Amino acid sequence: MTQTQMSPKNNVNNSKEEQRANINRLKESIDAEQLLGLLGFDISRTTSTEVRAVCKIHGGSNKSSFRMNKQTKNWVCFSQACQETIGYDVISLVRYMLNLSFTDAVKYLESITGINIHDEAAYVEYKRAKDRREFIQQMKDNRQIPMALVNEEYLKSFKKFRSNYFEKVKNGGFSTEVLNEFEIGGGYVDKYGFQRDVIPIRDENGELKAYSCRDITGKADEAFKYLLTKNFDKNKVLYNLDRAKSYMGKSRSLIVVEGFKSVWKLYMAGYKNVVSCIGSSITPGQQSLLYSYAFEVILFLDGDAAGIKGTAKALKDMKGKIKIIPIFFPYETRDPGDLNIEEFEEFDNIIRRA
Ligand SMILES: [Zn+2]
């Protein structure tokens, strides 16, 4: 940098520019509907680009005379051109409506947006959260969980919103420690507005591949209790293999169950060498994974018709390729995830803690 560029004159210009940029960022962070609501405007309609309302400045009855641009927050009054006397930008509007100085109007906007325009980090965080909210809003129309949400950054956010659904005794009575261990999150809202808890699914190397999202409202149809990430190919993934592979012991033994909750319950009971085939059948890709990691497979599928069928099919498919120990689960309306810890004793001579 040369001496000329560092002249005081330039610094002044920079700081003015900076201030303008800060103000623009503040304006950008305002939620137009929220602000107009706070200022007492009666909003009649919101389009993708603007919010329309009765003009609170001159009064009147035209329901869409007042319009605010959602991006810039600039506004116009089509009935009386109120902007010509007040100024069409949002800070002027706030000054007029609340009778504030420029500085106090900026402070007011800082307080409602939750950002301080002099604090870069807070702004970046606010913007990120806002982007995420908007993104999820756009994705609500999908029946399946969009692939774009499957990354570590979103997972981190989901983790903050886990409900107590899985902690309830009737839903498994899982401990906070176990739910933390399995990184269970929440806050996903499906297209019907039903809230769901989020179960991350990783491959054998720990790479995040998908989510399964569990309805926690009890309102979703039976078939849609769990929603999987769109285009997720379960053929290549055994849930929890990334962790279970370290607990296979000398016999290199893996327990295979159908569901996520069964994995967690067995884990709580001390069986950490457990994986889920995410359904009642073990696919060819999942069979290959079993061959490459384990010497011995303990089939611990559900006791209903689908589970029995899945067990029979797995025995047939994998016969001669790996040692298979099938367990006939004796309850038709419960699965391993529904057992109490003590009830696992009944199976302990077969599934044994590694
Ligand atoms: Zn007006």
Side-chain angles (χ1 to χ4, degrees):
M1 195 175 270
T2 67
Q3 282 299 317
T4 328
Q5 281 174 311
M6 286 178 74
S7 73
K9 189 168 175 283
N10 266 333
N11 278 350
V12 169
N13 283 344
N14 283 345
S15 119
K16 260 188 189 166
E17 245 164 57
E18 214 172 86
Q19 204 187 351
R20 202 175 300 128
N22 284 338
I23 294 286
N24 284 340
R25 291 190 316 197
L26 178 63
K27 288 179 179 173
E28 196 184 304
S29 308
I30 297 166
D31 181 323
E33 282 177 273
Q34 181 205 18
L35 174 67
L36 292 173
L38 288 169
L39 295 179
F41 279 76
D42 189 7
I43 294 167
S44 60
R45 191 168 166 226
T46 300
T47 72
S48 58
T49 55
E50 62 186 31
V51 180
R52 299 177 187 178
V54 175
C55 180
K56 175 101 175 159
I57 300 157
H58 78 266
S61 58
N62 185 337
K63 283 192 168 150
S64 57
S65 59
F66 181 95
R67 302 187 182 196
M68 178 176 274
N69 182 288
K70 280 170 140 181
Q71 186 63 38
T72 62
K73 278 55 170 214
N74 289 338
W75 60 278
V76 290
C77 165
F78 282 130
S79 301
Q80 302 284 323
C82 294
Q83 71 281 1
E84 281 176 18
T85 44
I86 293 165
Y88 67 93
D89 77 292
V90 66
I91 293 175
S92 301
L93 179 70
V94 169
R95 288 187 65 183
Y96 176 83
M97 296 302 294
L98 301 176
N99 195 20
L100 296 174
S101 68
F102 181 86
T103 310
D104 286 341
V106 168
K107 276 187 193 151
Y108 174 81
L109 291 171
E110 283 182 327
S111 76
I112 64 161
T113 54
I115 76 154
N116 177 338
I117 58 172
H118 307 292
D119 181 349
E120 185 77 17
Y123 174 77
V124 170
E125 176 55 28
Y126 175 84
K127 190 79 168 59
R128 199 194 58 77
K130 185 165 171 278
D131 288 349
R132 176 172 173 270
R133 266 202 313 278
E134 286 173 1
F135 184 70
I136 290 177
Q137 188 68 34
Q138 285 166 18
M139 292 300 173
K140 268 192 194 171
D141 288 341
N142 281 355
R143 151 92 56 192
Q144 290 171 303
I145 316 303
M147 199 46 154
L149 290 179
V150 181
N151 64 51
E152 300 293 342
E153 203 51 42
Y154 281 115
L155 176 57
K156 215 187 280 173
S157 309
F158 284 134
K159 280 188 205 170
K160 292 180 203 154
F161 303 114
R162 182 175 75 216
S163 75
N164 64 355
Y165 177 85
F166 289 118
E167 289 173 38
K168 292 180 185 159
V169 172
K170 64 172 180 174
N171 300 325
F174 295 100
S175 67
T176 307
E177 292 72 32
V178 165
L179 296 175
N180 285 345
E181 175 69 25
F182 288 94
E183 308 178 277
I184 310 307
Y188 183 83
V189 179
D190 69 20
K191 67 181 269 193
Y192 302 106
F194 300 156
Q195 210 177 324
R196 291 171 179 272
D197 270 1
V198 176
I199 303 164
I201 301 171
R202 296 182 183 276
D203 70 8
E204 75 268 27
N205 301 314
E207 198 183 313
L208 188 60
K209 287 293 179 188
Y211 301 123
S212 178
C213 295
R214 176 64 165 91
D215 168 52
I216 62 167
T217 65
K219 293 179 201 154
D221 289 348
E222 182 67 17
F224 298 107
K225 278 191 305 188
Y226 289 90
L227 290 185
L228 264 179
T229 298
K230 198 174 183 175
N231 299 329
F232 168 60
D233 184 7
K234 83 156 201 175
N235 180 35
K236 302 193 179 85
V237 177
L238 283 165
Y239 175 71
N240 198 46
L241 181 55
D242 56 323
R243 272 178 284 252
K245 66 185 183 186
S246 317
Y247 298 100
M248 295 188 296
K250 276 188 191 145
S251 56
R252 297 191 73 79
S253 175
L254 281 177
I255 304 163
V256 182
V257 296
E258 291 190 19
F260 309 111
K261 283 162 70 179
S262 297
V263 169
W264 311 339
K265 194 54 77 67
L266 277 151
Y267 184 93
M268 268 173 91
Y271 307 98
K272 298 189 173 179
N273 55 327
V274 54
V275 298
S276 151
C277 58
I278 319 173
S280 54
S281 64
I282 304 175
T283 66
Q286 291 174 331
Q287 291 169 15
S288 300
L289 277 172
L290 290 171
Y291 302 151
S292 57
Y293 281 93
F295 293 159
E296 180 182 281
V297 171
I298 299 157
L299 293 175
F300 201 27
L301 305 185
D302 296 357
D304 60 5
I308 292 166
K309 199 175 156 199
T311 303
K313 174 94 166 41
L315 279 167
K316 187 168 163 256
D317 287 351
M318 302 197 285
K319 194 181 170 194
K321 293 175 182 153
I322 196 167
K323 186 179 173 191
I324 312 172
I325 303 166
I327 297 177
F328 176 58
F329 191 71
Y331 310 101
E332 210 179 326
T333 55
R334 302 165 79 201
D335 62 49
D338 298 321
L339 293 184
N340 300 318
I341 303 299
E342 304 78 52
E343 290 177 291
F344 282 108
E345 295 301 327
E346 192 187 326
F347 307 97
D348 196 52
N349 60 326
I350 317 172
I351 55 180
R352 61 188 169 266
R353 293 169 179 84

